[in-house]
Amino acid sequence: MNSSSAPGDAAKFRRLVWALACSVGVSFGAILYGTSVLITSGAAGAEFSLGLLSAGFSGSVLTGAAVAVPVGRYADRHGIRSIVALGGSLVCLGFLGFAASTAPWQVLCAWWLLIGPGSAMVLFEPAFVALQQWFGRERRNRAAGTLTVLTGLAGPIFIPATTYATDLLGWRITAALLGLSVLLTASLTVGWALRGAPAPPGAAAGATVDPSSPSRRVRDKGVPRGFIPLSIAAALTMAVLEAFNVHRIARFEASGFDPAVVGWWAAAVGLLSLPARFLLPVLANRFDAAKLYITLTVLIMPAVWLAVRGTATWEMHGHFIIFGLLFGAFIPLRAVIMSDWYSGARFGALMGLQAVAIALGRAAGPAVVGWLAETPVGYSGAVALLSALLVVTVLLVVTAMVRRG
């Protein structure tokens, strides 16, 4: 069953999308935001070094990327139900292993061997493959917006909840609870919503084409036109966004701001991002998604520029407001572009390949900024570099559009 024969009733649409969105949102909240609390000095950071915990998380990003292509290929042929089930189990076992760790090697094994591969199965990539298989273009874009809106709520929910649970129960029990929450939501999604999900179109000798966009074609073999520059652009975008996610509080603290105040602004970013997360994919039903991506990149540049110096209060406020209003739309728009350009039997495999590039960007961006911040270049030079990367991103997306013709 392809996207043209997707379920027509609204109830089934809501069940599939909302259940999957909740599963991805809880997984994202536990793996990213919950971990951001667990690695602090009041939690696991009191027993393990920050360097070790950071290596565990960063390594999990890379091991997740290592399985992204096989996961995508499996999803192309069999759907995502078993993928989500296995991923939820792996992430849960990883958090349980982390909670029981007493030695550094145990921490690394839990993150690298369990949470990393599991995250590739319960986060965005398989979900976007499923949306491409289930729905036609208009519903698919609306579903992508719904998915990322709920994920945007993960930060405001999981950061305070994990902080409270850590203070009340300790970090080890909290880590176990985070893992169990991922397993529970994944299991409910698999057993309830995905049980009646449309079957994937199945692998064909030649690539299939989404009837809603007949001019978009995927070549049988090799890398399709425009895919490489688009994937590099997505990797650079995520390098910039992830660098700010990790360093925004430290960056403005280095400029003399109270980190508690900056922390409140950082928490507000998740709420500010909610409208754009939904509206931009919906707008892609009327406007070219690649052009929207370019526009979004240009509009977020002032937020980066305001953080280059970042010494005035208005610069700090302006950065968080502009960044918050826009950054959440990049993930669903990227999925919309991929679905518009490369719908077909190889879509999951291509999303997996792109996930590898994005993972490298996510790992490199914060690392490079952290390194530069401790050199004479400082945070100002590092943020200026991020600004330059956004310019390169625009050029790469334009190049991808030209290559596709």
Side-chain angles (χ1 to χ4, degrees):
M1 181 174 184
N2 59 29
S3 58
S4 64
S5 54
D9 59 289
K12 195 167 188 178
F13 173 86
R14 288 194 299 269
R15 186 181 73 187
L16 288 170
V17 174
W18 283 82
L20 187 59
C22 288
S23 178
V24 174
V26 169
S27 299
F28 200 81
I31 295 169
L32 181 63
Y33 295 111
T35 301
S36 70
V37 176
L38 292 180
I39 67 173
T40 61
S41 59
E47 300 182 38
F48 301 104
S49 70
L50 181 59
L52 171 70
L53 296 172
S54 298
F57 179 79
S58 298
S60 74
V61 174
L62 299 179
T63 57
V67 303
V69 175
V71 166
R73 287 174 176 163
Y74 185 92
D76 282 332
R77 290 161 175 76
H78 306 289
I80 69 164
R81 191 181 181 207
S82 58
I83 290 174
V84 174
L86 177 59
S89 299
L90 289 176
V91 171
C92 181
L93 289 173
F95 271 103
L96 292 175
F98 178 43
S101 296
T102 57
W105 69 267
Q106 295 169 340
V107 173
L108 296 180
C109 285
W111 279 95
W112 294 359
L113 302 182
L114 294 170
I115 297 177
S119 66
M121 304 176 194
V122 295
L123 295 181
F124 283 116
E125 303 305 320
F128 287 137
V129 173
L131 297 185
Q132 189 272 335
Q133 292 173 346
W134 294 344
F135 305 115
R137 187 174 189 270
E138 184 173 345
R139 276 194 163 184
R140 183 170 64 230
N141 292 351
R142 184 153 51 92
T146 301
L147 183 73
T148 51
V149 163
L150 289 187
T151 305
L153 293 172
I157 293 173
F158 273 83
I159 290 176
T162 305
T163 300
Y164 177 78
T166 300
D167 292 339
L168 183 66
L169 304 170
W171 76 267
R172 292 183 183 275
I173 294 178
T174 301
L177 290 175
L178 288 174
L180 290 171
S181 70
V182 174
L183 177 62
L184 177 61
T185 52
S187 299
L188 289 174
T189 299
V190 167
W192 176 57
L194 299 187
R195 185 177 181 181
T208 60
V209 180
D210 186 344
S212 65
S213 53
S215 64
R216 315 293 195 187
R217 299 188 177 276
V218 181
R219 289 184 297 179
D220 239 21
K221 299 178 181 179
V223 178
R225 292 187 299 271
F227 178 77
I228 291 177
L230 178 64
S231 297
I232 297 174
L236 293 181
T237 299
M238 289 308 302
V240 173
L241 299 183
E242 199 77 346
F244 274 110
N245 286 336
V246 173
H247 288 282
R248 61 162 60 98
I249 296 176
R251 192 278 161 273
F252 285 102
E253 182 183 14
S255 295
F257 289 97
D258 182 349
V261 174
V262 181
W264 279 107
W265 276 97
V269 163
L271 297 177
L272 287 172
S273 72
L274 296 182
R277 287 175 184 267
F278 182 78
L279 291 176
L280 266 295
V282 173
L283 283 176
N285 287 325
R286 298 184 58 187
F287 303 99
D288 185 278
K291 292 179 180 178
L292 288 175
Y293 195 98
I294 291 172
T295 302
L296 192 66
T297 305
V298 172
L299 290 176
I300 206 170
M301 286 181 184
V304 180
W305 299 337
L306 289 171
V308 172
R309 189 181 71 152
T311 55
T313 301
W314 68 269
E315 290 175 324
M316 189 266 285
H317 291 171
H319 163 79
F320 281 110
I321 292 172
I322 298 172
F323 190 91
L325 289 173
L326 299 174
F327 90 101
F330 282 99
I331 291 176
L333 265 185
R334 192 264 304 185
V336 170
I337 296 171
M338 286 292 293
S339 191
D340 282 351
W341 289 9
Y342 306 122
S343 289
R346 295 175 58 212
F347 181 74
L350 291 174
M351 288 291 282
L353 282 172
Q354 193 171 86
V356 174
I358 289 174
L360 294 175
R362 288 182 59 206
V368 171
V369 170
W371 171 69
L372 289 175
E374 296 180 342
T375 70
V377 169
Y379 268 122
S380 292
V383 175
L385 174 62
L386 297 180
S387 178
L389 291 182
L390 290 180
V391 175
V392 176
T393 295
V394 171
L395 296 177
L396 285 169
V397 177
V398 171
T399 300
M401 295 172 67
V402 171
R403 288 188 179 180
R404 290 198 70 256

